[in-house]
C-alpha cells in the first residue's frame, strides 16, 4: 500500500513539531510507517511466529532532536524556505559505546542531507536556498510575487523496528522547490544494537544470493498484482529495490521501498513490498527474526506528575513544550513497541492523524514509566500513545484530560465511524477513501434498489441487493492499507466494498469459498468492526463473534484466538512450495509465489484452481 497520506492538517498541531513546507498528510502512520503494495491474501496460516529462542532483555530507547529554521528574503519578512531536520537519538542502557556509534552514524547521515550528495550542485540546503532567493528575486522584479510559494527542505524519521537485535529507522526527505508539488523520497537504515554497526544486506545472511532470489521473486509477484498502476517496464527495475538504503526490517518481515517514479508514476505514490519472515526463514540469520515475548498481557496507565510520584528514574523523558505539565505513563506487566506521536485532527474526516514520532521504547516492564512534559488540552488531544501486546495487537490511545476534574485520560481514537446517510444527496458525506488527498462524496440512494455511490458518477456506483429498509453504512480501514472499506448492513446480510478509483467487492472466505456477502450483524465498537455471526467461518467449528481487528492487516479473527484470512481478491499467493494431487490423480507441485484460487475446503484438504485452469487438492497442513 502507499505510504500513509492523511488529509490536510486542520485544527491542532504541535508548533514545535510541524514544518511549514511539508503538509502533515505526507507523514507516515505508526502501524504501517510505510505502505505496502496491494496483496492477495496469504494461504491459510497462523499468525507470524516469534522464533528467537528467548526474550531479549536489551532496551532500545529513541528520542528526537530537531533543528528548524525559517529563511526569509533579504530586506523583507517574506518566507523563502522552511528547513526542518529531525535526528533520532538512541539510548542503549549498558551499551553506551554502541549507542554512541549509532548516533554518530545518524548524525553523519543528517549532515549529508543538509549538504546534499557529495559533489552535487543540484541538492542540499544551500543550493535550494540560493535557488529560492533567485526565484523570489525574479518574481519580485516582474511584479508577480503572489505566485511565489516558499520552498521547503525537510527530513523526518521514525522507528519501524527496535529490539535487542535490530534497530531499523525509516526516513522521509521532503523537498519543495517551487514546482507544482513537492516530492518525498524514503530511505532506511538498520543497526545491530549489540555491536553498534550498520547492517548491510550482506550481514543478514550466509546465502546472499538465496535471500536476493526470494525477495526479488516476492516483490515481482506483488508488482504483477498491481501492474496496471506501474510503468510498462517495471519488471526490468524490480531487482534494483534489493539495495542497501531501500530496505528495513519491521514486525512483519523485510520491507523494500520503491520511491516515486521508480516503478510507477507520481500519482501512485511511494510503494513498498513486504517479504514475510516465514518466506526468508532459513536464509535470514535467525537472530534477526522476531524475538520471543512474554505472553502476559499488560498496559499503560497515565497520571498527573504533580499528584503522584514513582520510585526509580523514568526510562525516558520527553518534552514537547516548555510550559507543559508533567505526565507519568507507567506500565503494568509488559508492553512492547511503545510509541508517542504528535497528532492533529481533521474535521473533514472526523479522525486524528499522526504528525511525527516523539519517542520509541522497545518495551516497558512492570512498574517502569516514562515522563512526558506537554500541554494536554481537554478538547482536542495532540499526543497519541500506542503499544503492542504480546499477542501482536496494537493499542492506541489519545492523551487527554477530564474537563470536570482535570484528571489525565487515555481515550481510544475513533478508528471506526458509523455513518447512516439519508436517501438523497444532501445527506451524503465526504471521506478520503483511497488516500489520494482528495475526499470522495459517498451517498446511498434509492433507485428501485439501494445504490452506494461515489462522487455521483455512474461508473463509480454499485447497486446493492438491499431492496427493503435502507442499509446501514460503516466506514473503516480495517486492514490498515490506507484504503477504507465500506460495509453495508441490511436484512441480516453484510456486504463489503473498497474504493481504489472504482468500487469493487471485498471477498471473505467461508469454508474455503470466496463470498461477498456475510450473514452477520455489525456491532458498535471503536477498535474494529465486530461481526456477530451465527455461522462457522472458514470451516471453523466455533460459530462465534468475529472481529475485523484494527492493527492486524488482512485478517478476520474469530473468538478463542482462531485467526483466518480475508482478502480483497479471490486468490492466495503461496509462501512456500506445496505438493498436491491434480484432478486426474497425478502428484504435482505448486512453486513458491504461485497464485491459486480456493474452491472448497474440508477439515484436512483445500481444493483450488491454479493458473491456466489447473485444478488440484492439497493437504491443509502445508498452509500453516
Amino acid at each position: 500500500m502507499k505510504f500513509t497520506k492523511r488529509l490536510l492538517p486542520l485544527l491542532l498541531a504541535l508548533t514545535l513539531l510541524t514544518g511549514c513546507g511539508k503538509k502533515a498528510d505526507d507523514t507516515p502512520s505508526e502501524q504501517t510507517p510505510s505502505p505496502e503494495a496491494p496483496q492477495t491474501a496469504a494461504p491459510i496460516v497462523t499468525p507470524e511466529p516469534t522464533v528467537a529462542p528467548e526474550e531479549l532483555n536489551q532496551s532500545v530507547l529513541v528520542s528526537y532532536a530537531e533543528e528548524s529554521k525559517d529563511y526569509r528574503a533579504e530586506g523583507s519578512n517574506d518566507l523563502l524556505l522552511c528547513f526542518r531536520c529531525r535526528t533520532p537519538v538512541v539510548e542503549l542502557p549498558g551499551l553506551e559505546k554502541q549507542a554512541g556509534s549509532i548516533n554518530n552514524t545518524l548524525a553523519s547521515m543528517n549532515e549529508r542531507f543538509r549538504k546534499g550528495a557529495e559533489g552535487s550542485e543540484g541538492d542540499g540546503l544551500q543550493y535550494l536556498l540560493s535557488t529560492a532567493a533567485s526565484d523570489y528575486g525574479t518574481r519580485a522584479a516582474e511584479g508577480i510575487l503572489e505566485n511565489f510559494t516558499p520552498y521547503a527542505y525537510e527530513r523526518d524519521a521514525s522507528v519501524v523496528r527496535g529490539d535487542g537485535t535490530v534497530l531499523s529507522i525509516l526516513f522521509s526527505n521532503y523537498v519543495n522547490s517551487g514546482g507544482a508539488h513537492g516530492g518525498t523520497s524514503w530511505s532506511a537504515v538498520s543497526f545491530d544494537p549489540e555491536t553498534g554497526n550498520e547492517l548491510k544486506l550482506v550481514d543478514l545472511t550466509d546465502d546472499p544470493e538465496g535471500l536476493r532470489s526470494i525477495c526479488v521473486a516476492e516483490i515481482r509477484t506483488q508488482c504483477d498484482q498491481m501492474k496496471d498502476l506501474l510503468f510498462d517496464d517495471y519488471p526490468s527495475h524490480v531487482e534494483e529495490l534489493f539495495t542497501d538504503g531501500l530496505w528495513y526490517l519491521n514486525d512483519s518481515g523485510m520491507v523494500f521501498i520503491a520511491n516515486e517514479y521508480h516503478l510507477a508514476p507520481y500519482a501512485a505514490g511511494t510503494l513498498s513490498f513486504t517479504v514475510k519472515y516465514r518466506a526468508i526463514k532459513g536464509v535470514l540469520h535467525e537472530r534477526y527474526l522476531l524475538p520471543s515475548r512474554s505472553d502476559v498481557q499488560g498496559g499503560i496507565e497515565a497520571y498527573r506528575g504533580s499528584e503522584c510520584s514513582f520510585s526509580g528514574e523514568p526510562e525516558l523523558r520527553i518534552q514537547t513544550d516548555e510550559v507543559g505539565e508533567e505526565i507519568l505513563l507507567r506500565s503494568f506487566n509488559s508492553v512492547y513497541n511503545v510509541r508517542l506521536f504528535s497528532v492533529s485532527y481533521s474535521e473533514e474526516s472526523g479522525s486524528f492523524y499522526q504528525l511525527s514520532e516523539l519517542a520509541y521504547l522497545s518495551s516497558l516492564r512492570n512498574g517502569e514509566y516514562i515522563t512526558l512534559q506537554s500541554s494536554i488540552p481537554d478538547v482536542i488531544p495532540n499526543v497519541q500513545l500506542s503499544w503492542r501486546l504480546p499477542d501482536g495487537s496494537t493499542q492506541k490511545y489519545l492523551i487527554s484530560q477530564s474537563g470536570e476534574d482535570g484528571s489525565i485520560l487515555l481515550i481510544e481514537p475513533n478508528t471506526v465511524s458509523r455513518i447512516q446517510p439519508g436517501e438523497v444527496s444532501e445527506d451524503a458525506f465526504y471521506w478520503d477513501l483511497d488516500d489520494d488527498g482528495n475526499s470522495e462524496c459517498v451517498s446511498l440512494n434509492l433507485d428501485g434498489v439501494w445504490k452506494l455511490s461515489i462522487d455521483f458518477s455512474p461508473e463509480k456506483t454499485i447497486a446493492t441487493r438491499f431492496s427493503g429498509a435502507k442499509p446501514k453504512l460503516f466506514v473503516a480501514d480495517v486492514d490498515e492499507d490506507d484504503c477504507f472499506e465500506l460495509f453495508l448492513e441490511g436484512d441480516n446480510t453484510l456486504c463489503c466494498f473498497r474504493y481504489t478509483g472504482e468500487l469493487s467487492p471485498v471477498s471473505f472466505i467461508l469454508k474455503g469459498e470466496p463470498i461477498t456477502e456475510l450473514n452477520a450483524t455489525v456491532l458498535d465498537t471503536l477498535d474494529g468492526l465486530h461481526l456477530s455471526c451465527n455461522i462457522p467461518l472458514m470451516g471453523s467449528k466455533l460459530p462465534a463473534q468475529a472481529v475485523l481487528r484494527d492493527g492486524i492487516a488482512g485478517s478476520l479473527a474469530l473468538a478463542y484466538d482462531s485467526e483466518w484470512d480475508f482478502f480483497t481478491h479471490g486468490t492466495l499467493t503461496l509462501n512456500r512450495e506445496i505438493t498436491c494431487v491434480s484432478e486426474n490423480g497425478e502428484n504435482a507441485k505448486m512453486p513458491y509465489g504461485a497464485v491459486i484460487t480456493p474452491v472448497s475446503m474440508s477439515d484436512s484438504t483445500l481444493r483450488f484452481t491454479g493458473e491456466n485452469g489447473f485444478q488440484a487438492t492439497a493437504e491443509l497442513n502445508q498452509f500453516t
Side-chain angles (χ1 to χ4, degrees):
M1 61 184 172
K2 297 174 293 184
F3 282 97
T4 302
K5 296 182 180 178
R6 298 298 183 191
L7 301 174
L8 293 177
L10 294 176
L11 296 179
L12 180 66
L14 296 179
T15 304
L16 178 66
L17 297 166
T18 304
C20 63
K22 181 181 177 182
K23 298 186 294 183
D25 59 2
D26 288 323
T27 303
S29 64
E30 177 256 336
Q31 258 103 4
T32 48
S34 68
E36 298 177 6
Q39 302 179 31
T40 56
I44 305 163
V45 295
T46 55
E48 196 69 42
T50 57
V51 295
E54 60 183 29
E55 185 175 359
L56 294 169
N57 294 319
Q58 177 60 50
S59 295
V60 178
L61 315 175
V62 180
S63 55
Y64 293 87
E66 178 171 335
E67 178 186 1
S68 61
K69 183 176 181 179
D70 292 342
Y71 292 87
R72 301 188 180 276
E74 185 176 355
S76 168
N77 197 42
D78 293 341
L79 182 63
L80 283 180
L81 181 145
C82 179
F83 172 74
R84 176 173 177 253
C85 185
R86 301 182 73 241
T87 304
V89 179
V90 178
E91 296 180 42
L92 302 172
L95 298 177
E96 285 72 20
K97 182 178 180 180
Q98 291 86 333
S101 177
I102 293 173
N103 287 327
N104 287 339
T105 301
L106 293 171
S108 297
M109 293 174 63
N110 275 1
E111 186 62 23
R112 288 197 297 272
F113 167 76
R114 172 194 284 274
K115 293 182 177 180
E118 186 175 351
S120 171
E121 297 181 355
D123 60 3
L125 174 60
Q126 290 305 316
Y127 171 82
L128 199 64
L129 182 58
S130 174
T131 303
S134 176
D135 185 7
Y136 179 89
T138 299
R139 292 174 187 270
E142 296 175 357
I144 53 173
L145 273 180
E146 66 274 9
N147 295 330
F148 177 78
T149 300
Y151 286 29
Y153 197 53
E154 303 180 357
R155 181 173 173 87
D156 208 344
S158 61
V159 176
V160 284
R161 176 176 165 185
D163 53 54
T165 57
V166 174
L167 172 60
S168 284
I169 299 174
L170 181 66
F171 295 94
S172 64
N173 301 322
Y174 176 79
V175 179
N176 187 336
S177 55
H181 54 73
T184 302
S185 63
W186 299 82
S187 60
V189 64
S190 295
F191 299 94
D192 185 332
E194 289 189 5
T195 64
N197 296 332
E198 182 179 347
L199 287 173
K200 303 290 188 180
L201 286 168
V202 294
D203 301 319
L204 301 179
T205 179
D206 289 330
D207 182 10
E209 180 55 31
L211 181 63
R212 186 203 65 81
S213 178
I214 293 173
C215 292
V216 169
E218 177 61 27
I219 296 171
R220 184 171 287 114
T221 296
Q222 295 181 31
C223 285
D224 291 344
Q225 295 166 4
M226 55 182 299
K227 60 184 178 182
D228 291 343
L229 298 176
L230 308 181
F231 293 131
D232 292 340
D233 65 346
Y234 77 86
S236 62
H237 297 285
V238 168
E239 291 201 30
E240 297 169 3
L241 302 187
F242 193 79
T243 303
D244 283 319
L246 294 180
W247 67 269
Y248 59 87
L249 298 173
N250 64 11
D251 277 2
S252 296
M254 192 171 184
V255 184
F256 295 88
I257 304 166
N259 278 305
E260 296 167 355
Y261 300 112
H262 197 156
L263 298 180
Y266 173 83
T270 303
L271 305 172
S272 75
F273 308 89
T274 298
V275 180
K276 299 290 187 179
Y277 283 120
R278 60 175 172 262
I280 52 179
K281 182 181 178 181
V283 292
L284 187 73
H285 285 319
E286 184 173 337
R287 69 186 308 266
Y288 297 132
L289 298 170
L290 288 181
S292 61
R293 289 165 174 168
S294 166
D295 59 358
V296 179
Q297 302 285 63
I300 295 178
E301 298 172 328
Y303 303 88
R304 190 181 299 279
S306 60
E307 297 177 354
C308 65
S309 61
F310 302 130
S311 61
E313 288 295 312
E315 299 301 299
L316 194 63
R317 298 180 185 272
I318 306 102
Q319 179 177 330
T320 65
D321 55 63
E322 296 180 355
V323 298
E325 62 179 311
E326 185 178 66
I327 307 299
L328 307 181
L329 303 170
R330 185 174 66 169
S331 172
F332 58 91
N333 297 329
S334 294
V335 293
Y336 303 88
N337 295 12
V338 180
R339 302 173 189 271
L340 283 164
F341 282 95
S342 60
V343 295
S344 190
Y345 180 77
S346 168
E347 282 188 317
E348 189 173 10
S349 68
S351 61
F352 289 86
Y353 57 92
Q354 296 168 353
L355 297 173
S356 290
E357 185 173 85
L358 303 175
Y360 172 89
L361 296 87
S362 57
S363 64
L364 278 179
R365 311 295 176 173
N366 186 48
E368 293 180 340
Y369 71 101
I370 56 181
T371 64
L372 167 68
Q373 183 177 327
S374 178
S375 298
I376 304 297
D378 59 359
V379 180
I380 301 177
N382 55 19
V383 177
Q384 178 177 288
L385 169 69
S386 72
W387 64 86
R388 178 162 290 191
L389 295 175
D391 64 4
S393 61
T394 297
Q395 309 293 305
K396 296 180 182 179
Y397 294 94
L398 298 166
I399 302 178
S400 184
Q401 64 174 310
S402 170
E404 297 180 359
D405 59 11
S407 59
I408 301 300
L409 304 176
L410 295 183
I411 303 174
E412 293 184 358
N414 188 17
T415 57
V416 176
S417 299
R418 178 171 180 164
I419 304 166
Q420 300 182 25
E423 301 179 11
V424 292
S425 60
E426 57 259 35
D427 289 325
F429 66 94
Y430 291 86
W431 201 286
D432 185 4
L433 297 172
D434 53 359
D435 191 41
D436 64 353
N438 300 310
S439 294
E440 283 72 40
C441 182
V442 183
S443 63
L444 272 173
N445 298 282
L446 182 61
D447 184 15
V449 294
W450 287 101
K451 289 185 177 181
L452 173 64
S453 299
I454 309 295
D455 291 341
F456 306 105
S457 302
E459 67 274 12
K460 297 179 181 179
T461 300
I462 282 188
T464 76
R465 296 185 181 183
F466 300 124
S467 57
K470 180 178 63 181
K472 299 173 183 176
L473 177 58
F474 297 79
V475 178
D477 182 11
V478 296
D479 54 357
E480 293 195 316
D481 65 350
D482 299 329
C483 291
F484 285 83
E485 285 74 39
L486 299 97
F487 293 83
L488 285 167
E489 178 196 358
D491 299 332
N492 298 318
T493 299
L494 184 74
C495 293
C496 181
F497 304 96
R498 63 188 275 114
Y499 179 75
T500 53
E502 62 181 18
L503 279 167
S504 59
V506 172
S507 294
F508 296 88
I509 285 290
L510 175 61
K511 294 183 179 179
E513 298 182 4
I515 58 173
T516 56
E517 295 182 3
L518 187 65
N519 292 328
T521 300
V522 178
L523 307 178
D524 286 317
T525 176
L526 290 178
D527 64 352
L529 281 180
H530 289 235
L531 311 178
S532 178
C533 306
N534 57 9
I535 56 175
L537 298 177
M538 287 192 68
S540 168
K541 297 180 181 179
L542 301 174
Q545 182 185 93
V547 183
L548 289 173
R549 283 199 297 183
D550 188 34
I552 302 181
S555 67
L556 177 63
L558 295 182
Y560 310 107
D561 298 324
S562 300
E563 295 196 7
W564 307 94
D565 287 330
F566 84 98
F567 48 89
T568 57
H569 312 282
T571 57
L572 305 176
T573 301
L574 299 182
N575 287 329
R576 67 183 69 179
E577 181 183 81
I578 66 168
T579 59
C580 56
V581 179
S582 67
E583 291 292 288
N584 59 14
E586 295 181 355
N587 293 328
K589 290 187 176 181
M590 296 294 291
Y592 166 86
V595 178
I596 65 174
T597 301
V599 175
S600 62
M601 185 173 69
S602 69
D603 290 339
S604 60
T605 61
L606 174 70
R607 183 168 170 263
F608 63 87
T609 300
E611 297 171 336
N612 302 321
F614 174 76
Q615 296 185 351
T617 301
E619 295 293 327
L620 272 179
N621 57 20
Q622 298 184 81
F623 297 91
T624 59

